[in-house]
Amino acid sequence: MVNLFLSTAFHSARLGTVLQILIFLPLTLSTISTSAFLILSFLLSVHSVIHGTLILLWGSESLSFLQVPVHPFLLLVCFNLFSSQQAASSWLLTAAEWWGQCLRLLTPIFIGLEGISSLLVAQSWGQKSKDLAARGEEWQFTLLVAAAAAYVGSATIIVLAYPAAAISPFSASLLGASVATLIFLTLIGFGVRRTNVIESAGLALFLAYNVWLCGYDGSFPWNTSWNTSAASYYAPLLSNILPHLQTLISFITHTLPKPLLASLLYRLIILHLASRILPSIGSDAWDNDVGVDGGWDGRPTSRLTRILLTYRQFIFITVYSHLLLLDHSSQVWWRWANIFFTLALWALELLVSSGDDDIGKEWKVE
Protein backbone atom coordinates (compact mmCIF):
# COMPACT_ATOMS: atom_id res chain seq x y z
CA MET A 1 0.00 0.00 0.00
CA VAL A 2 2.82 2.35 0.90
CA ASN A 3 4.67 1.47 -2.28
CA LEU A 4 1.54 2.18 -4.35
CA PHE A 5 1.12 5.54 -2.65
CA LEU A 6 4.76 6.48 -3.25
CA SER A 7 4.60 5.35 -6.87
CA THR A 8 1.47 7.45 -7.44
CA ALA A 9 3.10 10.44 -5.76
CA PHE A 10 6.25 10.12 -7.88
CA HIS A 11 4.24 9.89 -11.11
CA SER A 12 2.09 12.85 -10.05
CA ALA A 13 5.23 14.90 -9.41
CA ARG A 14 6.60 14.04 -12.86
CA LEU A 15 3.27 14.87 -14.48
CA GLY A 16 3.13 18.17 -12.63
CA THR A 17 6.62 19.03 -13.85
CA VAL A 18 5.67 18.31 -17.48
CA LEU A 19 2.50 20.41 -17.17
CA GLN A 20 4.50 23.28 -15.69
CA ILE A 21 6.85 23.26 -18.67
CA LEU A 22 3.95 23.02 -21.13
CA ILE A 23 2.22 26.04 -19.56
CA PHE A 24 5.06 28.27 -18.37
CA LEU A 25 6.94 28.58 -21.67
CA PRO A 26 3.99 29.75 -23.84
CA LEU A 27 2.74 31.85 -20.90
CA THR A 28 6.02 33.77 -20.86
CA LEU A 29 6.06 34.06 -24.63
CA SER A 30 2.48 35.34 -24.83
CA THR A 31 2.54 37.81 -21.94
CA ILE A 32 6.09 39.22 -21.91
CA SER A 33 8.45 38.84 -24.87
CA THR A 34 10.52 36.43 -26.90
CA SER A 35 13.61 37.37 -24.86
CA ALA A 36 11.87 36.48 -21.61
CA PHE A 37 10.72 33.21 -23.12
CA LEU A 38 14.29 32.37 -24.14
CA ILE A 39 15.65 33.24 -20.69
CA LEU A 40 13.07 30.98 -19.03
CA SER A 41 13.85 28.23 -21.52
CA PHE A 42 17.55 28.57 -20.75
CA LEU A 43 16.97 28.47 -16.98
CA LEU A 44 14.71 25.43 -17.28
CA SER A 45 17.30 23.72 -19.49
CA VAL A 46 20.11 24.34 -17.00
CA HIS A 47 17.93 23.05 -14.18
CA SER A 48 16.99 19.94 -16.17
CA VAL A 49 20.66 19.15 -16.82
CA ILE A 50 21.47 19.49 -13.11
CA HIS A 51 18.43 17.40 -12.21
CA GLY A 52 19.35 14.69 -14.72
CA THR A 53 22.95 14.57 -13.50
CA LEU A 54 21.78 14.14 -9.90
CA ILE A 55 19.51 11.29 -10.97
CA LEU A 56 22.37 9.70 -12.90
CA LEU A 57 24.68 9.91 -9.86
CA TRP A 58 22.21 9.48 -7.03
CA GLY A 59 19.30 7.64 -8.62
CA SER A 60 16.74 8.58 -5.97
CA GLU A 61 13.14 9.12 -7.09
CA SER A 62 12.67 11.72 -4.36
CA LEU A 63 14.34 14.20 -6.71
CA SER A 64 11.04 14.31 -8.61
CA PHE A 65 9.47 16.11 -5.64
CA LEU A 66 12.36 18.52 -5.20
CA GLN A 67 12.07 19.94 -8.71
CA VAL A 68 8.31 20.69 -8.52
CA PRO A 69 8.72 24.10 -6.77
CA VAL A 70 11.78 25.03 -8.85
CA HIS A 71 9.88 25.75 -12.07
CA PRO A 72 7.40 28.23 -10.50
CA PHE A 73 10.36 29.93 -8.81
CA LEU A 74 12.16 30.30 -12.14
CA LEU A 75 8.95 31.67 -13.69
CA LEU A 76 8.68 34.31 -10.96
CA VAL A 77 12.34 35.21 -11.44
CA CYS A 78 11.79 35.63 -15.16
CA PHE A 79 8.71 37.81 -14.66
CA ASN A 80 10.63 39.96 -12.18
CA LEU A 81 13.56 40.35 -14.55
CA PHE A 82 11.27 41.46 -17.40
CA SER A 83 8.62 43.29 -15.37
CA SER A 84 9.15 46.37 -17.53
CA GLN A 85 11.11 47.45 -20.57
CA GLN A 86 13.71 49.13 -18.34
CA ALA A 87 14.12 46.09 -16.07
CA ALA A 88 15.60 43.87 -18.76
CA SER A 89 19.31 44.60 -18.80
CA SER A 90 21.53 44.25 -21.84
CA TRP A 91 23.20 41.08 -20.57
CA LEU A 92 19.82 39.36 -20.28
CA LEU A 93 18.93 40.29 -23.84
CA THR A 94 22.35 39.09 -25.01
CA ALA A 95 21.96 35.78 -23.18
CA ALA A 96 18.50 35.32 -24.69
CA GLU A 97 19.84 36.03 -28.15
CA TRP A 98 22.65 33.49 -27.72
CA TRP A 99 20.28 30.80 -26.45
CA GLY A 100 17.89 31.46 -29.32
CA GLN A 101 20.78 31.12 -31.76
CA CYS A 102 21.79 27.81 -30.16
CA LEU A 103 18.25 26.49 -30.55
CA ARG A 104 18.21 27.50 -34.20
CA LEU A 105 21.56 25.78 -34.79
CA LEU A 106 20.11 22.60 -33.28
CA THR A 107 17.44 22.46 -36.00
CA PRO A 108 19.22 19.86 -38.20
CA ILE A 109 19.94 17.70 -35.15
CA PHE A 110 16.30 17.69 -34.06
CA ILE A 111 15.12 17.02 -37.59
CA GLY A 112 17.65 14.24 -38.12
CA LEU A 113 16.79 12.56 -34.80
CA GLU A 114 13.13 12.70 -35.75
CA GLY A 115 13.81 10.99 -39.09
CA ILE A 116 16.07 8.30 -37.60
CA SER A 117 13.59 7.63 -34.79
CA SER A 118 10.69 7.38 -37.24
CA LEU A 119 12.60 4.83 -39.31
CA LEU A 120 13.49 2.81 -36.19
CA VAL A 121 9.87 2.74 -35.06
CA ALA A 122 8.60 1.75 -38.51
CA GLN A 123 11.14 -1.07 -38.70
CA SER A 124 10.24 -2.19 -35.19
CA TRP A 125 6.59 -2.36 -36.23
CA GLY A 126 7.62 -4.41 -39.23
CA GLN A 127 9.56 -6.87 -37.06
CA LYS A 128 6.71 -7.24 -34.58
CA SER A 129 4.23 -7.75 -37.41
CA LYS A 130 6.17 -10.83 -38.52
CA ASP A 131 5.68 -12.37 -35.09
CA LEU A 132 1.97 -11.63 -35.28
CA ALA A 133 1.76 -13.02 -38.81
CA ALA A 134 3.26 -16.28 -37.57
CA ARG A 135 0.18 -16.82 -35.39
CA GLY A 136 -2.10 -17.52 -38.32
CA GLU A 137 -3.92 -16.22 -41.35
CA GLU A 138 -6.30 -14.12 -39.24
CA TRP A 139 -3.41 -11.96 -38.05
CA GLN A 140 -1.99 -11.75 -41.55
CA PHE A 141 -5.32 -10.51 -42.87
CA THR A 142 -5.63 -7.98 -40.03
CA LEU A 143 -2.14 -6.64 -40.68
CA LEU A 144 -2.80 -6.32 -44.41
CA VAL A 145 -6.04 -4.41 -43.72
CA ALA A 146 -4.21 -2.11 -41.30
CA ALA A 147 -1.46 -1.49 -43.86
CA ALA A 148 -4.04 -0.79 -46.57
CA ALA A 149 -5.78 1.71 -44.28
CA ALA A 150 -2.44 3.42 -43.61
CA TYR A 151 -1.69 3.61 -47.34
CA VAL A 152 -5.13 5.08 -48.09
CA GLY A 153 -4.87 7.55 -45.21
CA SER A 154 -1.41 8.65 -46.30
CA ALA A 155 -2.52 9.12 -49.89
CA THR A 156 -5.54 11.14 -48.73
CA ILE A 157 -3.41 13.44 -46.59
CA ILE A 158 -0.93 13.99 -49.42
CA VAL A 159 -3.68 14.77 -51.92
CA LEU A 160 -5.37 17.22 -49.55
CA ALA A 161 -2.07 18.89 -48.65
CA TYR A 162 -0.85 19.06 -52.26
CA PRO A 163 -2.26 22.52 -53.16
CA ALA A 164 -0.49 24.15 -50.21
CA ALA A 165 2.64 21.98 -50.20
CA ALA A 166 3.34 22.34 -53.93
CA ILE A 167 3.26 26.13 -54.05
CA SER A 168 6.21 26.29 -56.44
CA PRO A 169 7.55 24.07 -59.23
CA PHE A 170 10.49 23.10 -57.05
CA SER A 171 8.35 22.04 -54.06
CA ALA A 172 6.01 20.18 -56.43
CA SER A 173 9.04 18.33 -57.82
CA LEU A 174 10.18 17.47 -54.30
CA LEU A 175 6.75 16.10 -53.47
CA GLY A 176 6.64 13.99 -56.61
CA ALA A 177 10.18 12.73 -56.09
CA SER A 178 9.52 11.77 -52.46
CA VAL A 179 6.37 9.81 -53.31
CA ALA A 180 8.09 8.10 -56.25
CA THR A 181 11.08 7.24 -54.06
CA LEU A 182 8.84 5.72 -51.40
CA ILE A 183 7.03 3.57 -53.98
CA PHE A 184 10.29 2.61 -55.67
CA LEU A 185 11.98 1.58 -52.40
CA THR A 186 8.87 -0.32 -51.31
CA LEU A 187 8.82 -2.36 -54.51
CA ILE A 188 12.57 -3.02 -54.25
CA GLY A 189 12.17 -4.04 -50.61
CA PHE A 190 9.39 -6.45 -51.55
CA GLY A 191 11.49 -7.81 -54.39
CA VAL A 192 14.52 -8.57 -52.23
CA ARG A 193 12.38 -9.72 -49.28
CA ARG A 194 13.81 -7.12 -46.89
CA THR A 195 10.72 -5.18 -45.90
CA ASN A 196 7.00 -5.71 -45.40
CA VAL A 197 3.79 -3.77 -45.79
CA ILE A 198 3.72 -2.64 -42.15
CA GLU A 199 7.15 -1.03 -42.35
CA SER A 200 6.34 0.55 -45.69
CA ALA A 201 2.97 1.81 -44.43
CA GLY A 202 4.67 3.36 -41.41
CA LEU A 203 7.04 5.28 -43.66
CA ALA A 204 4.12 6.30 -45.86
CA LEU A 205 2.47 7.84 -42.80
CA PHE A 206 5.73 9.59 -41.96
CA LEU A 207 5.88 11.03 -45.47
CA ALA A 208 2.24 12.17 -45.33
CA TYR A 209 2.78 13.80 -41.93
CA ASN A 210 5.74 15.84 -43.17
CA VAL A 211 3.97 16.80 -46.39
CA TRP A 212 1.05 18.03 -44.31
CA LEU A 213 3.40 20.18 -42.24
CA CYS A 214 5.07 21.51 -45.38
CA GLY A 215 1.63 22.41 -46.70
CA TYR A 216 0.48 24.25 -43.61
CA ASP A 217 -0.18 27.80 -44.74
CA GLY A 218 0.53 30.17 -41.92
CA SER A 219 3.15 31.46 -39.56
CA PHE A 220 3.37 32.57 -35.97
CA PRO A 221 1.62 35.92 -35.70
CA TRP A 222 3.24 37.14 -32.51
CA ASN A 223 5.76 39.95 -32.64
CA THR A 224 8.06 41.81 -30.33
CA SER A 225 6.05 45.02 -30.15
CA TRP A 226 2.92 43.17 -29.09
CA ASN A 227 4.79 41.24 -26.41
CA THR A 228 6.50 44.35 -25.08
CA SER A 229 3.21 46.16 -24.53
CA ALA A 230 1.79 43.06 -22.88
CA ALA A 231 4.71 42.98 -20.46
CA SER A 232 4.17 46.54 -19.26
CA TYR A 233 0.48 45.85 -18.73
CA TYR A 234 0.54 42.46 -17.03
CA ALA A 235 3.56 42.66 -14.72
CA PRO A 236 3.90 41.51 -11.99
CA LEU A 237 2.71 37.91 -12.23
CA LEU A 238 0.86 37.15 -8.99
CA SER A 239 -1.33 40.26 -8.80
CA ASN A 240 -2.45 39.77 -12.42
CA ILE A 241 -2.73 36.00 -12.60
CA LEU A 242 -6.21 35.98 -14.18
CA PRO A 243 -5.29 38.31 -17.08
CA HIS A 244 -2.19 36.22 -17.64
CA LEU A 245 -4.20 33.01 -17.79
CA GLN A 246 -6.74 34.61 -20.14
CA THR A 247 -3.92 35.70 -22.42
CA LEU A 248 -2.42 32.23 -22.31
CA ILE A 249 -5.73 30.58 -23.23
CA SER A 250 -6.21 33.04 -26.10
CA PHE A 251 -2.64 32.41 -27.21
CA ILE A 252 -3.10 28.62 -27.26
CA THR A 253 -6.55 28.59 -28.88
CA HIS A 254 -6.13 31.38 -31.44
CA THR A 255 -2.45 32.23 -31.87
CA LEU A 256 -0.52 28.99 -31.41
CA PRO A 257 -0.77 26.95 -34.65
CA LYS A 258 -2.18 23.47 -34.21
CA PRO A 259 0.56 21.91 -36.40
CA LEU A 260 3.09 23.08 -33.80
CA LEU A 261 1.29 21.09 -31.13
CA ALA A 262 1.15 18.12 -33.49
CA SER A 263 4.88 18.47 -34.20
CA LEU A 264 5.71 18.60 -30.51
CA LEU A 265 3.55 15.58 -29.70
CA TYR A 266 4.89 13.55 -32.62
CA ARG A 267 8.53 14.38 -32.00
CA LEU A 268 8.42 13.59 -28.29
CA ILE A 269 6.50 10.33 -28.79
CA ILE A 270 8.73 9.13 -31.61
CA LEU A 271 11.92 9.93 -29.66
CA HIS A 272 10.56 8.10 -26.63
CA LEU A 273 9.61 5.03 -28.68
CA ALA A 274 13.01 5.01 -30.36
CA SER A 275 14.77 5.16 -26.99
CA ARG A 276 12.88 2.02 -25.99
CA ILE A 277 13.94 0.27 -29.19
CA LEU A 278 17.65 1.06 -28.93
CA PRO A 279 18.49 -1.69 -26.38
CA SER A 280 17.23 -4.38 -28.78
CA ILE A 281 19.56 -3.31 -31.60
CA GLY A 282 22.35 -5.81 -32.13
CA SER A 283 20.85 -8.34 -29.73
CA ASP A 284 22.20 -11.30 -31.69
CA ALA A 285 25.78 -10.28 -30.98
CA TRP A 286 25.05 -10.31 -27.23
CA ASP A 287 23.09 -13.55 -26.99
CA ASN A 288 26.06 -15.49 -25.62
CA ASP A 289 26.63 -12.95 -22.86
CA VAL A 290 23.25 -13.28 -21.17
CA GLY A 291 24.57 -15.68 -18.57
CA VAL A 292 27.45 -13.44 -17.55
CA ASP A 293 25.45 -10.89 -15.60
CA GLY A 294 21.88 -12.05 -16.19
CA GLY A 295 20.81 -9.06 -18.22
CA TRP A 296 21.51 -6.50 -20.90
CA ASP A 297 22.87 -3.66 -18.77
CA GLY A 298 26.31 -4.03 -20.33
CA ARG A 299 25.12 -3.22 -23.81
CA PRO A 300 26.31 0.10 -25.24
CA THR A 301 22.78 0.74 -26.52
CA SER A 302 21.39 0.19 -23.01
CA ARG A 303 23.81 2.71 -21.55
CA LEU A 304 22.90 5.18 -24.31
CA THR A 305 19.21 4.62 -23.64
CA ARG A 306 19.74 5.23 -19.92
CA ILE A 307 21.47 8.54 -20.64
CA LEU A 308 18.74 9.62 -23.05
CA LEU A 309 15.98 8.75 -20.59
CA THR A 310 17.83 10.44 -17.72
CA TYR A 311 18.09 13.70 -19.66
CA ARG A 312 14.69 13.40 -21.36
CA GLN A 313 13.46 16.53 -19.56
CA PHE A 314 16.25 18.56 -21.14
CA ILE A 315 15.36 17.10 -24.54
CA PHE A 316 11.70 17.93 -23.93
CA ILE A 317 12.44 21.55 -23.01
CA THR A 318 14.78 22.17 -25.93
CA VAL A 319 12.44 20.52 -28.45
CA TYR A 320 9.46 22.48 -27.11
CA SER A 321 11.38 25.77 -27.07
CA HIS A 322 12.72 25.10 -30.57
CA LEU A 323 9.23 24.55 -31.97
CA LEU A 324 7.82 27.62 -30.21
CA LEU A 325 10.70 29.79 -31.40
CA LEU A 326 10.79 29.04 -35.13
CA ASP A 327 8.10 30.06 -37.57
CA HIS A 328 6.63 27.84 -40.26
CA SER A 329 8.61 29.20 -43.21
CA SER A 330 11.96 28.44 -41.56
CA GLN A 331 11.07 24.76 -41.10
CA VAL A 332 9.60 23.82 -44.49
CA TRP A 333 12.89 23.10 -46.20
CA TRP A 334 14.15 21.21 -43.17
CA ARG A 335 11.03 19.05 -43.49
CA TRP A 336 11.87 18.20 -47.10
CA ALA A 337 15.45 17.45 -46.07
CA ASN A 338 14.13 15.18 -43.32
CA ILE A 339 11.97 13.26 -45.81
CA PHE A 340 14.83 12.52 -48.21
CA PHE A 341 17.29 11.88 -45.37
CA THR A 342 14.97 9.24 -43.90
CA LEU A 343 14.30 7.65 -47.29
CA ALA A 344 18.05 7.53 -47.96
CA LEU A 345 18.61 5.78 -44.63
CA TRP A 346 15.88 3.30 -45.48
CA ALA A 347 17.46 2.62 -48.86
CA LEU A 348 20.81 2.01 -47.16
CA GLU A 349 19.17 -0.33 -44.66
CA LEU A 350 17.50 -2.29 -47.47
CA LEU A 351 20.89 -2.60 -49.14
CA VAL A 352 22.87 -3.87 -46.16
CA SER A 353 20.25 -5.86 -44.20
CA SER A 354 19.96 -9.60 -44.44
CA GLY A 355 17.07 -11.49 -45.94
CA ASP A 356 13.90 -12.41 -44.08
CA ASP A 357 12.66 -15.65 -42.65
CA ASP A 358 10.17 -18.00 -44.29
CA ILE A 359 7.15 -16.51 -42.59
CA GLY A 360 7.95 -13.06 -43.90
CA LYS A 361 8.40 -14.45 -47.39
CA GLU A 362 5.01 -16.13 -47.29
CA TRP A 363 2.86 -13.14 -46.47
CA LYS A 364 4.50 -9.76 -46.72
CA VAL A 365 4.37 -9.25 -50.49
CA GLU A 366 1.21 -11.17 -51.30
Side-chain angles (χ1 to χ4, degrees):
M1 187 66 182
V2 176
N3 292 334
L4 179 61
F5 174 77
L6 290 176
S7 177
T8 304
F10 289 142
H11 283 86
S12 299
R14 295 190 187 99
L15 179 61
T17 301
V18 172
L19 291 177
Q20 287 175 352
I21 296 172
L22 286 174
I23 295 174
F24 290 171
L25 284 174
L27 174 65
T28 307
L29 181 61
S30 62
T31 57
I32 307 183
S33 65
T34 303
S35 297
F37 156 76
L38 289 171
I39 288 296
L40 180 61
S41 171
F42 176 73
L43 293 176
L44 291 175
S45 299
V46 172
H47 167 257
S48 65
V49 171
I50 297 174
H51 173 73
T53 303
L54 290 177
I55 290 179
L56 198 63
L57 298 177
W58 187 13
S60 175
E61 292 189 350
S62 60
L63 290 170
S64 301
F65 291 107
L66 298 179
Q67 71 168 340
V68 172
V70 175
H71 293 171
F73 172 75
L74 294 178
L75 179 67
L76 289 174
V77 169
C78 188
F79 266 76
N80 267 331
L81 292 175
F82 291 88
S83 58
S84 65
Q85 298 184 40
Q86 292 77 20
S89 58
S90 59
W91 70 269
L92 279 176
L93 299 178
T94 303
E97 182 180 353
W98 276 99
W99 179 239
Q101 188 63 26
C102 289
L103 290 175
R104 291 184 178 92
L105 292 176
L106 289 174
T107 298
I109 296 178
F110 289 142
I111 293 294
L113 286 177
E114 180 182 308
I116 295 173
S117 301
S118 300
L119 181 59
L120 282 176
V121 172
Q123 291 179 329
S124 176
W125 288 351
Q127 293 294 325
K128 292 178 180 178
S129 68
K130 291 191 295 184
D131 297 331
L132 294 175
R135 298 181 181 181
E137 293 183 357
E138 295 81 4
W139 279 104
Q140 294 180 18
F141 178 76
T142 302
L143 291 170
L144 289 175
V145 170
Y151 283 131
V152 173
S154 302
T156 302
I157 294 173
I158 292 174
V159 169
L160 294 177
Y162 176 80
I167 56 177
S168 66
F170 183 63
S171 58
S173 300
L174 291 177
L175 177 55
S178 61
V179 174
T181 302
L182 176 66
I183 297 174
F184 181 73
L185 290 177
T186 298
L187 294 177
I188 290 206
F190 288 166
V192 297
R193 311 285 186 175
R194 292 179 180 177
T195 189
N196 57 44
V197 291
I198 300 300
E199 180 179 334
S200 175
L203 288 169
L205 289 173
F206 167 77
L207 174 61
Y209 160 75
N210 280 279
V211 170
W212 171 65
L213 287 180
C214 290
Y216 172 70
D217 187 13
S219 60
F220 297 93
W222 64 71
N223 53 71
T224 305
S225 61
W226 179 82
N227 287 323
T228 302
S229 62
S232 63
Y233 178 75
Y234 286 116
L237 173 64
L238 295 179
S239 60
N240 297 277
I241 189 65
L242 288 180
H244 281 307
L245 293 178
Q246 292 172 357
T247 304
L248 174 62
I249 294 173
S250 176
F251 177 76
I252 294 175
T253 56
H254 299 99
T255 307
L256 200 62
K258 301 305 180 288
L260 184 145
L261 299 178
S263 299
L264 173 67
L265 186 63
Y266 176 83
R267 188 171 291 180
L268 293 178
I269 290 177
I270 208 70
L271 289 175
H272 178 75
L273 292 177
S275 68
R276 297 297 184 181
I277 296 170
L278 280 176
S280 64
I281 297 177
S283 58
D284 294 341
W286 291 75
D287 286 342
N288 295 329
D289 297 333
V290 178
V292 176
D293 54 9
W296 304 109
D297 292 336
R299 279 196 202 168
T301 50
S302 294
R303 291 195 292 268
L304 176 61
T305 300
R306 184 189 176 193
I307 293 175
L308 290 176
L309 292 178
T310 301
Y311 292 98
R312 61 184 178 271
Q313 188 179 118
F314 171 75
I315 298 174
F316 171 63
I317 293 172
T318 52
V319 167
Y320 192 28
S321 303
H322 174 262
L323 290 174
L324 284 170
L325 179 63
L326 299 182
D327 58 22
H328 167 71
S329 59
S330 63
Q331 300 189 66
V332 170
W333 299 115
W334 284 115
R335 286 288 170 190
W336 287 118
N338 188 24
I339 290 173
F340 287 101
F341 172 71
T342 306
L343 291 176
L345 284 180
W346 191 34
L348 181 63
E349 191 274 337
L350 292 177
L351 180 65
V352 301
S353 64
S354 59
D356 276 310
D357 53 6
D358 294 336
I359 295 173
K361 293 179 180 179
E362 289 174 0
W363 75 278
K364 71 163 102 180
V365 297
E366 293 178 357

